[in-house]
Amino acid sequence: MKEDRRMWTIFLFLLGALGYLLGLKLDNLLLMELTRWLPHAVLIFVVSREIRAATGVVDDGRIQYTKRIRVGLVFCMAGDFILRLPIKGAFLTGLVLFLVGHAWFIAAFQVPVQGRPREWGWKLLAGFAAYGIAMYAALFPKLGGMTVPVLAY
């Protein structure tokens, strides 16, 4: 039973990811919109399952960690949807939702978990910050009037 659930989880994640990539390749907006939510939903499901599995166990930090990751994923999923809406202000609203989601991820990295050194969160944060700086440098020429909001993000 557990193995079947794992296989379905992997299948649905890959279906969504590959469906989105196919829609991108074929320039098929409908296929992209129908499939891009699936990997987000699967990740939220997996994190929620981890919370349930850890409930009842002496809290070594895993429960708070996974709850914060789940909240961050929900905000990022909402940001992903709103970001692409064809209405004024949607891009900035989506960007703000992503920022809130990532703040939850940062909060999760700071939860002390038994067996993991406290510095782990800061090292992970530094790696993501380096990636963010590189991404901003690559996007900068195309940002136009959104340079400051994207930098703040």
Side-chain angles (χ1 to χ4, degrees):
M1 178 73 169
K2 190 174 185 180
E3 187 62 33
D4 289 343
R5 187 173 28 203
R6 182 174 295 141
M7 292 305 295
W8 273 107
T9 302
I10 294 168
F11 172 75
L12 290 173
F13 185 87
L14 290 175
L15 179 69
L18 294 174
Y20 180 81
L21 291 174
L22 181 62
L24 196 60
K25 176 76 174 160
L26 299 175
D27 198 26
N28 185 327
L29 186 61
L30 179 61
L31 181 58
M32 289 167 51
E33 294 303 318
L34 289 174
T35 56
R36 73 185 176 116
W37 62 272
L38 200 49
H40 293 283
V42 169
L43 283 174
I44 292 168
F45 169 76
V46 168
V47 170
S48 297
R49 194 171 61 206
E50 288 299 315
I51 292 170
R52 282 194 304 275
T55 304
V57 176
V58 175
D59 187 7
D60 62 359
R62 289 179 296 165
I63 295 170
Q64 284 303 310
Y65 175 80
T66 52
K67 282 182 180 178
R68 292 176 187 187
I69 293 292
R70 179 177 56 185
V71 171
L73 287 170
V74 169
F75 272 101
C76 288
M77 187 168 109
D80 187 38
F81 283 113
I82 291 173
L83 185 75
R84 295 178 46 98
L85 291 175
I87 56 175
K88 185 176 170 98
F91 181 80
L92 188 57
T93 303
L95 200 62
V96 168
L97 288 169
F98 270 113
L99 177 62
V100 171
H102 287 109
W104 278 98
F105 295 150
I106 291 168
F109 296 153
Q110 300 313 308
V111 172
V113 174
Q114 185 178 3
R116 184 183 75 196
R118 180 109 177 140
E119 306 83 47
W120 177 85
W122 290 110
K123 289 177 183 176
L124 193 57
L125 181 59
F128 282 123
Y131 174 77
I133 291 167
M135 190 62 101
Y136 183 76
L139 292 173
F140 183 80
K142 301 175 185 174
L143 293 176
M146 295 302 288
T147 55
V148 173
V150 172
L151 177 62
Y153 166 73

